[in-house]
Amino acid sequence: MVVGYSDGQESSEYPISLAKRGAFVGFDRFGLEFFTPDELRIKNLIEVVRAGYRDQLLISHDHAVCLLGRGAAIFAELAPQSSLTHIFENIIPRLLELGLPKEDIEAILVSNPQRLFANAAAQVSSGRK
């Protein structure tokens, strides 16, 4: 199970509590700084990794091309940091700068989604949903 939008908290307590119970934790609102600054999301993500839950983290971001029937311009006003490449251009370099090892980033971006989707595919193949 993935609990999305788990990265908008003041501390890492909530995402760690989800990971402790076995859920994948979605840090999936990078770029939406009108909710929570990316720097706080980054700090909390690093704390979740350091607490031993790296293998339950997923990261992504929203990027709307249409919002409430309007074009991308309104989204650009609300979230000027957001783009389709925001994580790769801004978040990953910042994580590296703050000392998160490349191996951790590789696990979060590649291994964790692979495990999540492999598990889902196995459940569908076995008839469980």
Side-chain angles (χ1 to χ4, degrees):
M1 175 173 66
V2 178
V3 180
Y5 295 165
S6 299
D7 58 343
Q9 311 298 315
E10 289 294 319
S11 77
S12 60
E13 183 179 321
Y14 175 67
I16 288 172
S17 76
L18 296 171
K20 281 182 181 177
R21 290 180 267 168
F24 278 94
V25 180
F27 272 62
D28 42 17
R29 286 189 138 186
F30 281 104
L32 301 183
E33 297 204 79
F34 56 91
F35 289 128
T36 302
D38 280 350
E39 281 298 317
L40 181 58
R41 294 177 204 281
I42 289 167
K43 176 190 86 61
N44 289 339
L45 183 142
I46 290 171
E47 289 177 4
V48 172
V49 170
R50 291 190 177 142
Y53 297 103
R54 175 198 77 183
D55 293 339
Q56 288 166 255
L57 281 171
L58 302 167
I59 63 172
S60 63
H61 55 71
D62 291 335
H63 183 72
V65 293
C66 181
L67 185 62
L68 301 174
R70 298 182 201 121
I74 190 168
F75 190 78
E77 288 176 33
L78 291 171
Q81 282 283 60
S82 184
S83 74
L84 294 174
T85 58
H86 178 58
I87 286 177
F88 297 99
E89 291 177 351
N90 302 301
I91 304 305
I92 300 304
R94 184 69 176 134
L95 290 168
L96 291 167
E97 184 180 298
L98 293 171
L100 194 68
K102 288 181 182 179
E103 297 79 27
D104 289 343
I105 293 169
E106 179 81 11
I108 294 166
L109 291 176
V110 178
S111 303
N112 295 353
Q114 284 176 336
R115 276 191 302 88
L116 171 68
F117 290 118
N119 184 44
Q123 288 187 27
V124 168
S125 294
S126 71
R128 295 184 321 197
K129 293 181 182 176

